[in-house]
Amino acid sequence: MKIYLSGKLVDESDAKVSVFDHGLLYGDGVFEGIRAYHGKVFLLDEHVDRLYDSAKAIALEIPMTRAEMAQAVVETCAANNMTSGYIRLVVTRGVGTLGLNPYLCKKPEIIIIAAAIQLYPPELYETGMRVVTVGTVRNHPEAVNPRIKSLNYLNNVMAKIEAINAGVMECIMLNPQGLVAEASGDNVFVLKNGVLKTPPVWCGALDGITRRAVMRIAEDAGIPVREEPMQRYDLFTADEMFLTGTAAEVIAVTNVDRRTIGDGTPGATTLDLQSRFKEYVKHHGTPIPAS
Ligand code: PXG
């Protein structure tokens, strides 16, 4: 496998970063998780824009343009003959001292990995998944804003530990006000009386690229879409519920904290949006050139 490392494509065995990199020492950096489908990088420009916004928010200046970054992503896919899979794009603060000061770090490190994707088991898409709400509160937006896709994922990891300990694979996190924020690595949607609802990002959600795509797809299909603050009550009483994310795509939730959602099987609108999403990914990507 060839890895992009700050300007060069190197062999996996040579793709090494320093133990003094602040990405490792402090989780100081930002990243993107991107999918490629059918020889195209899905919504690449939206991912690159979000990466630069995340970097801006943590005062990290990426030493290349957005166009160069997008080009580096498709070149890394091409070098690995990848037509579908998972791309991890990471920008760390780079090598610095053992102190926090990010201004002492010389140069951000840019890493692009094009690999296979780890998916949920296929049966879960047929049965829908069970989730629980967890005690780990989503980061306060003025501590680490959940809109920043930062390398510091401990908040999400702690929530995921609670989910696994409860015997489920994903969880719902609440914000410091007790409102629904998002899952540990996915956004949340409910359908109630024909209206599709998702928490606004200010409630503690990442501005998910899949979330945006599903909102556009639903609007085009004539389904009313609203961003609305939500309580656990709104999950328990939903007609349908699903999660969205780059890895999960669109996956039904059929049980929350032992309350059955709808009739306990993936809802008709969820299934419809799943199939529309499958079609959408065919037509919304940046082509990977033949290497
Ligand atoms: N919320 C959080 C906290 C996430 O980390 C999403 C929502 C969904 O956003 P997108 O833009 O993907 O629709 C994410 C995305 C991984 C992995 O390797 C994690 C994500 C995406 C891809 C891979 O764990 N998280």
Side-chain angles (χ1 to χ4, degrees):
M1 193 195 292
K2 293 278 188 198
I3 311 285
Y4 178 98
L5 191 60
S6 288
K8 294 195 195 84
L9 283 162
V10 299
D11 281 328
E12 189 178 337
S13 56
D14 297 323
K16 297 194 173 127
V17 295
S18 166
V19 294
F20 293 100
D21 191 304
H22 278 211
L24 175 67
L25 290 176
Y26 298 112
D28 186 354
V30 293
F31 80 104
E32 283 295 317
I34 312 172
R35 280 285 275 268
Y37 296 97
H38 313 291
K40 296 190 196 94
V41 180
F42 183 56
L43 300 177
L44 177 57
D45 293 339
E46 289 192 42
H47 279 285
V48 169
D49 284 344
R50 188 174 66 183
L51 180 80
Y52 278 71
D53 284 348
S54 292
K56 185 77 182 286
I58 67 162
L60 171 62
E61 205 170 314
I62 301 176
M64 60 201 281
T65 65
R66 291 176 193 220
E68 286 164 349
M69 184 66 82
Q71 185 63 22
V73 169
V74 293
E75 276 170 13
T76 307
C77 294
N80 290 285
N81 293 313
M82 192 173 93
T83 54
S84 68
Y86 178 57
I87 302 148
R88 172 62 66 94
L89 172 50
V90 181
V91 183
T92 77
R93 189 77 66 177
V95 172
T97 67
L98 287 179
L100 279 173
N101 190 345
Y103 296 114
L104 297 177
C105 297
K106 288 180 210 99
K107 190 164 117 311
E109 189 87 75
I110 299 164
I111 302 161
I112 307 173
I113 308 167
I117 181 128
Q118 278 243 311
L119 299 169
Y120 284 131
E123 333 53 282
L124 220 54
Y125 288 82
E126 272 142 49
T127 58
M129 73 192 313
R130 300 170 69 90
V131 300
V132 293
T133 55
V134 291
T136 302
V137 170
R138 191 77 181 99
N139 283 331
H140 189 288
E142 296 307 336
V144 180
N145 196 310
R147 294 169 72 176
I148 302 170
K149 202 162 166 65
S150 89
L151 289 185
N152 197 316
Y153 252 52
L154 260 187
N155 183 224
N156 314 61
V157 170
M158 307 256 308
K160 186 83 170 185
I161 288 169
E162 288 190 73
I164 294 163
N165 289 351
V168 297
M169 298 178 86
E170 190 44 291
C171 57
I172 303 299
M173 301 180 76
L174 307 177
N175 73 9
Q177 287 74 45
L179 297 169
V180 173
E182 59 179 341
S184 74
D186 299 296
N187 291 109
V188 181
F189 284 84
V190 299
L191 187 84
K192 183 69 175 179
N193 298 328
V195 179
L196 191 62
K197 298 180 187 182
T198 190
V201 290
W202 64 259
C203 283
L206 182 73
D207 183 2
I209 305 295
T210 320
R211 173 184 182 274
R212 292 186 205 163
V214 165
M215 288 165 81
R216 294 196 288 261
I217 291 166
E219 272 161 8
D220 288 349
I223 302 164
V225 181
R226 276 192 224 141
E227 291 179 87
E228 221 170 68
M230 268 181 219
Q231 300 170 319
R232 278 203 315 157
Y233 173 91
D234 296 298
L235 306 181
F236 299 155
T237 59
D239 298 328
E240 297 185 26
M241 176 172 166
F242 61 84
L243 306 180
T244 64
T246 294
E249 301 176 310
V250 178
I251 189 162
V253 175
T254 47
N255 193 290
V256 181
D257 295 338
R258 300 211 173 196
R259 276 79 158 181
T260 302
I261 306 300
D263 67 0
T265 65
T269 302
T270 304
L271 294 173
D272 181 44
L273 289 170
Q274 266 173 352
S275 69
R276 287 175 191 269
F277 182 79
K278 274 209 158 53
E279 194 56 33
Y280 187 88
V281 303
K282 292 183 189 163
H283 310 290
H284 294 83
T286 302
I288 299 165
S291 60

PDB file of all heavy atoms in Angstrom, residues 172-185:
ATOM      1  N   ILE A 172     -26.297   6.933  21.460  1.00  0.00           N
ATOM      2  CA  ILE A 172     -26.724   8.310  21.242  1.00  0.00           C
ATOM      3  C   ILE A 172     -26.134   9.148  22.369  1.00  0.00           C
ATOM      4  O   ILE A 172     -26.269   8.803  23.553  1.00  0.00           O
ATOM      5  CB  ILE A 172     -28.265   8.432  21.252  1.00  0.00           C
ATOM      6  CG1 ILE A 172     -28.902   7.519  20.193  1.00  0.00           C
ATOM      7  CG2 ILE A 172     -28.705   9.895  21.079  1.00  0.00           C
ATOM      8  CD1 ILE A 172     -28.512   7.809  18.761  1.00  0.00           C
ATOM      9  N   MET A 173     -25.465  10.242  21.978  1.00  0.00           N
ATOM     10  CA  MET A 173     -24.881  11.153  22.966  1.00  0.00           C
ATOM     11  C   MET A 173     -25.776  12.381  23.110  1.00  0.00           C
ATOM     12  O   MET A 173     -26.338  12.869  22.130  1.00  0.00           O
ATOM     13  CB  MET A 173     -23.475  11.581  22.521  1.00  0.00           C
ATOM     14  CG  MET A 173     -22.528  10.405  22.337  1.00  0.00           C
ATOM     15  SD  MET A 173     -20.876  10.938  21.820  1.00  0.00           S
ATOM     16  CE  MET A 173     -20.237  11.572  23.382  1.00  0.00           C
ATOM     17  N   LEU A 174     -25.893  12.858  24.354  1.00  0.00           N
ATOM     18  CA  LEU A 174     -26.675  14.062  24.630  1.00  0.00           C
ATOM     19  C   LEU A 174     -25.714  15.212  24.878  1.00  0.00           C
ATOM     20  O   LEU A 174     -24.572  15.006  25.295  1.00  0.00           O
ATOM     21  CB  LEU A 174     -27.563  13.835  25.860  1.00  0.00           C
ATOM     22  CG  LEU A 174     -28.446  12.587  25.799  1.00  0.00           C
ATOM     23  CD1 LEU A 174     -29.238  12.428  27.101  1.00  0.00           C
ATOM     24  CD2 LEU A 174     -29.398  12.618  24.599  1.00  0.00           C
ATOM     25  N   ASN A 175     -26.176  16.434  24.629  1.00  0.00           N
ATOM     26  CA  ASN A 175     -25.312  17.595  24.855  1.00  0.00           C
ATOM     27  C   ASN A 175     -25.433  18.035  26.323  1.00  0.00           C
ATOM     28  O   ASN A 175     -26.192  17.452  27.100  1.00  0.00           O
ATOM     29  CB  ASN A 175     -25.630  18.700  23.839  1.00  0.00           C
ATOM     30  CG  ASN A 175     -26.946  19.397  24.107  1.00  0.00           C
ATOM     31  OD1 ASN A 175     -27.584  19.190  25.142  1.00  0.00           O
ATOM     32  ND2 ASN A 175     -27.364  20.232  23.174  1.00  0.00           N
ATOM     33  N   PRO A 176     -24.659  19.046  26.738  1.00  0.00           N
ATOM     34  CA  PRO A 176     -24.701  19.428  28.157  1.00  0.00           C
ATOM     35  C   PRO A 176     -26.083  19.881  28.647  1.00  0.00           C
ATOM     36  O   PRO A 176     -26.350  19.863  29.841  1.00  0.00           O
ATOM     37  CB  PRO A 176     -23.676  20.568  28.240  1.00  0.00           C
ATOM     38  CG  PRO A 176     -22.718  20.289  27.125  1.00  0.00           C
ATOM     39  CD  PRO A 176     -23.576  19.745  26.014  1.00  0.00           C
ATOM     40  N   GLN A 177     -26.992  20.239  27.726  1.00  0.00           N
ATOM     41  CA  GLN A 177     -28.366  20.600  28.113  1.00  0.00           C
ATOM     42  C   GLN A 177     -29.286  19.381  28.143  1.00  0.00           C
ATOM     43  O   GLN A 177     -30.477  19.506  28.428  1.00  0.00           O
ATOM     44  CB  GLN A 177     -28.960  21.628  27.134  1.00  0.00           C
ATOM     45  CG  GLN A 177     -28.390  23.030  27.254  1.00  0.00           C
ATOM     46  CD  GLN A 177     -26.981  23.138  26.686  1.00  0.00           C
ATOM     47  OE1 GLN A 177     -26.703  22.630  25.600  1.00  0.00           O
ATOM     48  NE2 GLN A 177     -26.074  23.758  27.421  1.00  0.00           N
ATOM     49  N   GLY A 178     -28.766  18.209  27.784  1.00  0.00           N
ATOM     50  CA  GLY A 178     -29.593  17.004  27.774  1.00  0.00           C
ATOM     51  C   GLY A 178     -30.331  16.779  26.464  1.00  0.00           C
ATOM     52  O   GLY A 178     -31.169  15.883  26.363  1.00  0.00           O
ATOM     53  N   LEU A 179     -30.021  17.605  25.447  1.00  0.00           N
ATOM     54  CA  LEU A 179     -30.651  17.423  24.131  1.00  0.00           C
ATOM     55  C   LEU A 179     -29.839  16.431  23.303  1.00  0.00           C
ATOM     56  O   LEU A 179     -28.631  16.281  23.509  1.00  0.00           O
ATOM     57  CB  LEU A 179     -30.727  18.774  23.394  1.00  0.00           C
ATOM     58  CG  LEU A 179     -31.577  19.846  24.069  1.00  0.00           C
ATOM     59  CD1 LEU A 179     -31.361  21.207  23.396  1.00  0.00           C
ATOM     60  CD2 LEU A 179     -33.055  19.453  24.031  1.00  0.00           C
ATOM     61  N   VAL A 180     -30.510  15.775  22.368  1.00  0.00           N
ATOM     62  CA  VAL A 180     -29.829  14.791  21.514  1.00  0.00           C
ATOM     63  C   VAL A 180     -28.788  15.505  20.646  1.00  0.00           C
ATOM     64  O   VAL A 180     -29.082  16.524  20.009  1.00  0.00           O
ATOM     65  CB  VAL A 180     -30.847  14.057  20.606  1.00  0.00           C
ATOM     66  CG1 VAL A 180     -30.142  13.154  19.600  1.00  0.00           C
ATOM     67  CG2 VAL A 180     -31.832  13.258  21.463  1.00  0.00           C
ATOM     68  N   ALA A 181     -27.564  14.985  20.656  1.00  0.00           N
ATOM     69  CA  ALA A 181     -26.499  15.562  19.829  1.00  0.00           C
ATOM     70  C   ALA A 181     -26.285  14.706  18.589  1.00  0.00           C
ATOM     71  O   ALA A 181     -26.629  15.106  17.474  1.00  0.00           O
ATOM     72  CB  ALA A 181     -25.219  15.689  20.637  1.00  0.00           C
ATOM     73  N   GLU A 182     -25.730  13.529  18.774  1.00  0.00           N
ATOM     74  CA  GLU A 182     -25.427  12.636  17.651  1.00  0.00           C
ATOM     75  C   GLU A 182     -24.999  11.296  18.215  1.00  0.00           C
ATOM     76  O   GLU A 182     -24.963  11.119  19.433  1.00  0.00           O
ATOM     77  CB  GLU A 182     -24.327  13.238  16.767  1.00  0.00           C
ATOM     78  CG  GLU A 182     -23.010  13.496  17.494  1.00  0.00           C
ATOM     79  CD  GLU A 182     -21.916  14.084  16.605  1.00  0.00           C
ATOM     80  OE1 GLU A 182     -21.997  13.979  15.372  1.00  0.00           O
ATOM     81  OE2 GLU A 182     -20.952  14.641  17.179  1.00  0.00           O
ATOM     82  N   ALA A 183     -24.677  10.344  17.330  1.00  0.00           N
ATOM     83  CA  ALA A 183     -24.117   9.068  17.769  1.00  0.00           C
ATOM     84  C   ALA A 183     -22.596   9.253  17.939  1.00  0.00           C
ATOM     85  O   ALA A 183     -22.064  10.320  17.641  1.00  0.00           O
ATOM     86  CB  ALA A 183     -24.453   7.984  16.760  1.00  0.00           C
ATOM     87  N   SER A 184     -21.893   8.215  18.406  1.00  0.00           N
ATOM     88  CA  SER A 184     -20.456   8.403  18.656  1.00  0.00           C
ATOM     89  C   SER A 184     -19.681   8.641  17.364  1.00  0.00           C
ATOM     90  O   SER A 184     -18.651   9.299  17.377  1.00  0.00           O
ATOM     91  CB  SER A 184     -19.876   7.218  19.435  1.00  0.00           C
ATOM     92  OG  SER A 184     -19.755   6.083  18.612  1.00  0.00           O
ATOM     93  N   GLY A 185     -20.207   8.140  16.235  1.00  0.00           N
ATOM     94  CA  GLY A 185     -19.536   8.376  14.952  1.00  0.00           C
ATOM     95  C   GLY A 185     -20.508   8.526  13.798  1.00  0.00           C
ATOM     96  O   GLY A 185     -20.154   8.259  12.646  1.00  0.00           O
TER      97      GLY A 185
END
